[in-house]
Amino acid sequence: MLYMHDLWVNWFEGEENGYNVCHFHEWRKEDGIELVDQIPLLLIDEDLFEFIENDLQELPKSMLDDIHKRTYMKKNQERKTIDYAAVVTDGRSVLVFDTLGYSLPVKKSRLIPRQERLVFDMVEGKRPSIYELDNPTPKEYHILSLSPEKMAGLTRRERQLKQLLMMALDQLRHTDHPEEVGYWLTEWDPSQYELMKELTAEAAWQRLYYGTMEGWSKQHEELCGKLIKGQPFFETMWQSENQKSTKHLKSQN
């Protein structure tokens, strides 16, 4: 088995979508980078890599058996054994996971570019290990888990705010005041005003949802900021993301 040593990881916990496991250029100082002393490296096929990167389902038992207690983390000069963790690659992309003792990839991280290149060098010319998935459930994307295509090209901040917008829209769909939906649709697209009289609340919501799910713009951001006003939970998320992204930009300049 191949092993890597002294890896810097930036864990993203509970993320089922790979676009939320940020690449190195989007890491932030407050993320809490950790050092992995030793960890196994597995070359796997594209389907299994996609499954690990973009889902939170059970990993093949044979894979878990192969990597059991082969990872060590270093913290305060102490070496801690990790039950199930590995670096995986399909030869094109790289991901690190830690199951936290469970059988699914609860924590995920990317690698810094130099260590990514080392992964590709180490697996060059080798055949992937074959692990069979046991009846995986097909992945379904929805308003609270948009498909990668809907997040393509967005920055970390934009992805976070887009998810916040989708959460607010999901809440709006179940409002006790259907007229609110029409208001926000015309706020998003004033040209819909005349048509609003003929639309049901659900039809208006569908137009708003499908109109906002593509890309990200100043218009998206303005709608999100207005839609969450007066909702403490959403406002806290909005403020937190804006503060973090501002700090990140300042640290880069």
Side-chain angles (χ1 to χ4, degrees):
M1 180 172 283
L2 298 172
Y3 289 94
M4 301 193 73
H5 300 273
D6 300 324
L7 292 192
W8 293 106
V9 291
N10 181 14
W11 296 121
F12 291 84
E13 191 167 333
E15 293 292 356
E16 60 175 314
N17 294 307
Y19 54 71
N20 283 330
V21 184
C22 297
H23 288 272
F24 175 68
H25 68 275
E26 289 192 317
W27 289 8
R28 296 169 177 166
K29 282 186 177 180
E30 65 271 17
D31 281 346
I33 315 302
E34 295 184 9
L35 180 65
V36 181
D37 191 32
Q38 172 186 296
I39 189 167
L41 166 62
L42 300 175
L43 174 62
I44 56 178
D45 62 58
E46 292 179 14
D47 290 341
L48 180 55
F49 184 88
E50 164 81 12
F51 176 83
I52 296 171
E53 183 179 37
N54 291 300
D55 224 320
L56 271 177
Q57 294 190 55
E58 293 209 354
L59 299 170
K61 186 178 183 306
S62 56
M63 172 190 267
L64 293 174
D65 289 343
D66 283 351
I67 64 175
H68 187 222
K69 294 190 180 296
R70 292 176 181 262
T71 296
Y72 301 95
M73 299 285 290
K74 231 179 204 175
K75 202 165 188 181
N76 301 326
Q77 302 305 313
E78 289 185 14
R79 208 168 185 240
K80 179 186 175 186
T81 306
I82 305 299
D83 285 338
Y84 302 107
V87 178
V88 290
T89 180
D90 58 359
R92 297 187 304 174
S93 300
V94 182
L95 191 76
V96 191
F97 72 82
D98 178 356
T99 71
L100 291 181
Y102 300 100
S103 55
L104 41 149
V106 179
K107 298 200 300 185
K108 303 175 188 177
S109 175
R110 305 292 178 180
L111 292 180
I112 65 174
R114 175 177 56 81
Q115 292 173 333
E116 263 196 359
R117 290 194 296 272
L118 179 58
V119 168
F120 298 137
D121 289 343
M122 290 174 70
V123 302
E124 189 174 1
K126 292 183 167 50
R127 291 186 177 183
S129 300
I130 304 301
Y131 298 106
E132 296 294 330
L133 289 167
D134 187 21
N135 299 319
T137 305
K139 178 70 180 278
E140 290 185 7
Y141 294 104
H142 50 80
I143 188 170
L144 300 180
S145 178
L146 294 177
S147 69
E149 292 76 22
K150 305 304 179 190
M151 293 293 196
L154 304 190
T155 64
R156 180 173 177 176
R157 174 180 178 275
E158 290 167 347
R159 292 192 303 273
Q160 292 296 316
L161 293 184
K162 187 167 185 177
Q163 287 179 171
L164 177 58
L165 174 60
M166 292 299 122
M167 289 167 67
L169 287 177
D170 185 56
Q171 185 183 77
L172 178 65
R173 188 177 196 177
H174 303 100
T175 180
D176 293 329
H177 306 283
E179 66 278 2
E180 278 189 40
V181 182
Y183 170 80
W184 290 114
L185 176 60
T186 53
E187 185 75 17
W188 167 256
D189 183 2
S191 68
Q192 301 276 347
Y193 180 74
E194 289 301 321
L195 187 64
M196 268 305 306
K197 300 167 189 174
E198 302 167 23
L199 294 177
T200 63
E202 176 61 20
W205 185 89
Q206 290 285 344
R207 281 176 177 261
L208 182 56
Y209 171 54
Y210 285 106
T212 55
M213 70 186 299
E214 299 290 342
W216 186 258
S217 63
K218 188 178 179 183
Q219 188 183 5
H220 282 85
E221 189 159 333
E222 288 175 352
L223 177 67
C224 184
K226 292 174 183 175
L227 196 54
I228 65 168
K229 273 206 171 150
Q231 301 186 69
F233 177 68
F234 288 160
E235 285 185 331
T236 299
M237 291 176 66
W238 168 275
Q239 290 164 4
S240 173
E241 184 54 40
N242 279 310
Q243 286 169 0
K244 288 176 181 176
S245 60
T246 300
K247 281 182 186 176
H248 181 60
L249 286 173
K250 283 181 179 177
S251 69
Q252 288 185 317
N253 294 334

